[in-house]
């Protein structure tokens, strides 16, 4: 029997996600709040010695190196007399970000082009290997520190194996990367012959990353191990093509190690505390156009009025897809407000109806903008949404405030003071955050905010990261400012509270959270309106957006 066992620990950054019981936009999606470890946590050891390392994600409030904003301004007093002046924004995009912007015609209606996995694997790849040397003393210390994670028999077996080692040091593979993709599932050692493979793995049994059950897993051969890798990544949300590709990279790495055709990197290069190490990049083997909800005929009828932009953000390491729909009688010399919608995967589908209302003179002309992801990412996926709209909300706000809106202002004449930012559910949590942190930015791209059915209760699932108490005090906005010079529209569905009753855990429900926010705003004399619709969580949104457009931007 050929046994492949290693001492290093590979931990995945994927968030743990609870399944929401109700449907959001007709799809079962995962909740935004549960951001702990999920699915399989694979731990491999050298002679059953576990050397665990857990890294916490940096606080969202840590200042970014690219878009630091001044939040130390003294409390501002409003004169009580609004002075109208044109708002201009400073574009803070980096040279790399500017160089990656791509404006083109609408591609949503195009047929997907999916790469062939086998052909992609035939291309030239770069394999990087990090080696690690441990002394017998270090191995014994490691085994002792992880004693509570092993059975007594496993512990004794590990100690006995270490004490009977030949020599005082042992060198093994600590980590492997292929084309900058980290091989989370370890690559076999050079001596492995492709036969039976034994791994010591841990399976998560609870909410905490520490709640893990350990067991030996034996694979009959390397092919069975690769099938296991494929299934793992499919469970993690990757397409079958992406999962097959990653498994194929594992094989490429093993072949490179056998032939000594790899680049050795210094010890410590592949630090598993670095969350970016586990970034798999775009899933180019998937195309999620099918997830976009829209009327094909309605979009086709106005496609010549739609500009599509691919825009990359370095902070989030995301490529966004932005759709800009211009009014029927668009005049490039005229200034227009922007109606900005998050969740483009669903909300772009509202562009035709909103534009028709403008064309029929039921509302004044505005520029419709929706923010989504390129078609290699599933914008309807709960993990992706919760990551960007909630966990990384500061970075997303940086992107919209200091990159995207200033960039659009260089291509269209925008009335920022009269522009609106909309968000719903996770997006409602984001638009609330954006509103009450807007004073920290020099750029002021929005004068109006829509906070729809905000899932504030989800913040408690990861309270150490997401600051639910700060949310309940509107992030100290009214400690820094005496008044709010923005207008706020709060909305929800009258029937939505039961939709997530198993998620509240004693905290305010969605509608209670809305009511509490309304009272706080009113206590500070803010310009706030609130409306509840005869609806559950999301069904009211299309009608609400149309109503908001007509009332906020009435026909002239």
């Amino acid at each position: 029997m050929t046994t492949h066992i290693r001492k290093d620990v590979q931990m995945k950054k994927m968030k743990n996600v609870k399944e929401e019981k109700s449907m959001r936009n007709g799809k079962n999606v995962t909740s935004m709040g549960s951001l702990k470890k999920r699915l399989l946590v694979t731990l491999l050891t050298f002679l059953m010695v576990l050397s665990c390392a857990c890294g916490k994600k940096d606080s969202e409030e840590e200042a970014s190196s690219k878009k630091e904003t001044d939040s130390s301004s003294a409390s501002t007093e409003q004169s009580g007399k609004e002075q109208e002046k044109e708002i201009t924004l400073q574009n803070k995009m980096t040279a790399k970000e500017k160089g990656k912007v791509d404006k083109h015609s609408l591609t949503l209606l195009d047929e997907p082009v999916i790469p062939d996995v086998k052909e992609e694997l035939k291309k030239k790849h770069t394999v990087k290997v990090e080696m690690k040397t441990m002394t017998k003393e270090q191995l014994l210390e490691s085994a002792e520190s992880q004693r509570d994670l092993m059975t007594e028999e496993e512990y004794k077996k590990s100690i006995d194996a270490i004490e009977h080692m030949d020599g005082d040091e042992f060198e093994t593979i600590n980590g492997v990367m292929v084309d900058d993709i980290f091989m989370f599932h370890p690559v076999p050692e050079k001596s492995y012959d492709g036969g039976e493979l034994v791994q010591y793995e841990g399976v998560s049994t609870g909410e905490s990353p520490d709640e893990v059950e350990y067991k030996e897993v034996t694979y009959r051969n390397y092919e069975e191990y690769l099938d296991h890798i494929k299934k793992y990544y499919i469970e993690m949300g990757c397409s079958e093509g992406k999962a097959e590709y990653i498994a194929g990279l594992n094989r490429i790495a093993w072949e490179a190690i056998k032939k000594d055709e790899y680049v050795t990197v210094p010890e410590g290069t592949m630090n598993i505390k670095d969350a970016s190490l586990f970034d798999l990049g775009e899933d180019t083997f998937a195309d999620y156009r099918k997830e976009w909800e829209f009327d094909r005929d309605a979009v086709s009828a106005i496609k010549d009025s739609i500009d599509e932009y691919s825009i990359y953000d370095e902070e989030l390491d995301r490529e966004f897809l932005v759709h800009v729909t211009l009014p029927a009688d668009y005049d490039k010399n005229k200034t227009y407000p922007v109606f900005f919608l998050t969740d483009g995967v669903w909300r772009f589908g509202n562009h035709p109806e909103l534009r028709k209302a403008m064309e029929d003179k039921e509302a004044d002309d505005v520029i419709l903008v929706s923010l989504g992801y390129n078609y290699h990412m599933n914008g309807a996926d709960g993990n992706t949404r919760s990551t960007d709209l909630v966990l990384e909300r500061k970075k997303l706000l940086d992107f919209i405030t200091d990159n995207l809106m200033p960039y659009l202002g260089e291509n269209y004449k925008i009335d920022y003071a009269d522009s609106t930012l909309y968000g719903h559910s996770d997006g409602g949590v984001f638009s609330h955050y954006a509103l009450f942190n807007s004073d920290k930015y020099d750029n002021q791209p929005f004068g109006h905010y829509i906070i729809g059915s905000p899932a504030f209760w989800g913040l408690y699932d990861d309270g150490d990261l997401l600051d639910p108490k700060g949310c309940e005090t509107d992030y100290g906005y009214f400690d820094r400012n005496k008044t709010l010079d923005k207008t706020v529209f709060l909305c929800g569905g009258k029937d939505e509270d039961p939709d997530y009753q198993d998620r509240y855990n004693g905290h305010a429900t969605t509608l209670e959270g809305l009511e509490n926010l309304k009272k706080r705003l009113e206590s500070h004399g803010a310009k706030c309106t609130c409306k509840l619709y005869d609806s559950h969580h999301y069904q009211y949104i299309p009608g609400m957006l149309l109503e908001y457009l007509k009332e906020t931007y009435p026909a002239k």
Side-chain angles (χ1 to χ4, degrees), residues 64-223:
S64 67
S65 61
K66 176 166 68 93
K67 301 168 189 165
E68 185 69 30
T69 55
D70 183 6
S71 60
S72 62
S73 59
S75 298
T76 59
E77 284 206 38
Q78 301 296 328
S79 64
K81 182 179 181 182
E82 295 188 11
Q83 298 184 10
E84 294 189 11
K85 65 177 183 178
E86 182 180 353
I87 295 176
T88 58
L89 306 185
Q90 179 186 357
N91 189 336
K92 299 183 181 181
M93 296 173 73
T94 66
K96 179 179 179 179
E97 290 168 336
K98 290 178 180 178
K100 296 188 72 169
V101 175
D102 179 25
K103 177 184 177 182
H104 45 265
S105 58
L106 183 68
T107 61
L108 180 60
L109 305 176
D110 297 350
E111 287 297 318
V113 178
I114 308 296
D116 182 272
V117 177
K118 291 181 175 56
E119 291 301 317
E120 292 298 310
L121 289 172
K122 289 179 182 178
K123 295 180 179 179
K124 185 177 180 180
H125 303 277
T126 301
V127 177
K128 297 177 183 177
V129 176
E130 178 184 327
M131 305 300 293
K132 184 165 185 174
T133 301
M134 291 187 75
T135 64
K136 186 178 293 188
E137 182 180 355
Q138 288 172 323
L139 289 171
L140 289 169
E141 289 176 356
S142 178
E144 186 63 35
S145 68
Q146 304 301 322
R147 184 171 184 172
D148 60 335
L149 301 178
M150 293 183 271
T151 66
E152 189 63 24
E153 180 182 354
E154 291 165 347
Y155 171 73
K156 289 179 179 178
K157 187 176 180 180
S158 295
I159 296 298
D160 182 67
I162 294 170
E163 288 178 342
H164 286 84
M165 282 179 58
D166 292 331
D168 294 325
E169 292 185 342
F170 180 82
E171 186 177 62
T172 187
I173 297 174
N174 194 49
V176 180
M177 297 185 76
V178 185
D179 298 339
D180 296 324
I181 294 180
F182 181 66
M183 295 292 97
F184 171 55
H185 290 81
V187 178
E189 304 278 355
K190 184 176 183 178
S191 59
Y192 173 62
D193 62 4
E196 194 172 64
L197 183 65
V198 177
Q199 305 282 35
Y200 193 59
E201 299 181 352
V203 179
S204 177
T205 59
E207 289 293 312
S208 170
D210 297 327
E211 297 178 42
V212 178
E213 178 182 332
Y214 300 95
K215 60 180 180 179
E216 267 191 6
V217 180
T218 301
Y219 300 98
R220 290 174 298 178
N221 50 47
Y222 190 44
E223 297 305 320

Side-chain angles (χ1 to χ4, degrees), residues 279-347:
D279 184 4
L280 300 177
E282 290 182 10
D283 192 344
T284 55
F285 301 97
D287 192 293
Y288 291 100
R289 285 175 173 84
K290 63 182 183 297
E291 299 294 331
W292 288 63
E293 295 182 2
F294 63 97
D295 183 315
R296 191 176 188 87
D297 291 337
V299 170
S300 296
I302 64 170
K303 62 183 179 64
D304 292 338
S305 296
I306 301 172
D307 294 331
E308 187 175 275
Y309 291 86
S310 295
I311 299 185
Y312 173 75
D313 180 63
E314 275 193 89
E315 275 193 284
L316 287 167
D317 191 22
R318 287 272 199 245
E319 182 181 79
F320 292 96
L321 202 62
V322 178
H323 289 109
V324 178
T325 299
L326 304 173
D329 52 354
Y330 174 71
D331 180 351
K332 65 180 181 180
N333 297 312
K334 182 180 174 182
T335 300
Y336 299 87
V338 159
F339 195 178
F340 190 104
L341 310 173
T342 58
D343 283 328
V345 65
W346 299 314
R347 302 282 72 88

Side-chain angles (χ1 to χ4, degrees), residues 31 36 58 83 99 139 220 266 283 301 326 374 392 432 454 459 475 480 485 494-495 499 503 554:
S31 161
K36 303 179 182 71
D58 289 340
Q83 298 184 10
L139 289 171
R220 290 174 298 178
D283 192 344
L326 304 173
N374 69 41
E392 300 285 12
H432 171 265
L459 298 175
Y475 303 104
R480 302 187 301 270
D485 62 346
K494 292 179 182 178
D495 304 318
D499 295 345
R503 296 295 317 283

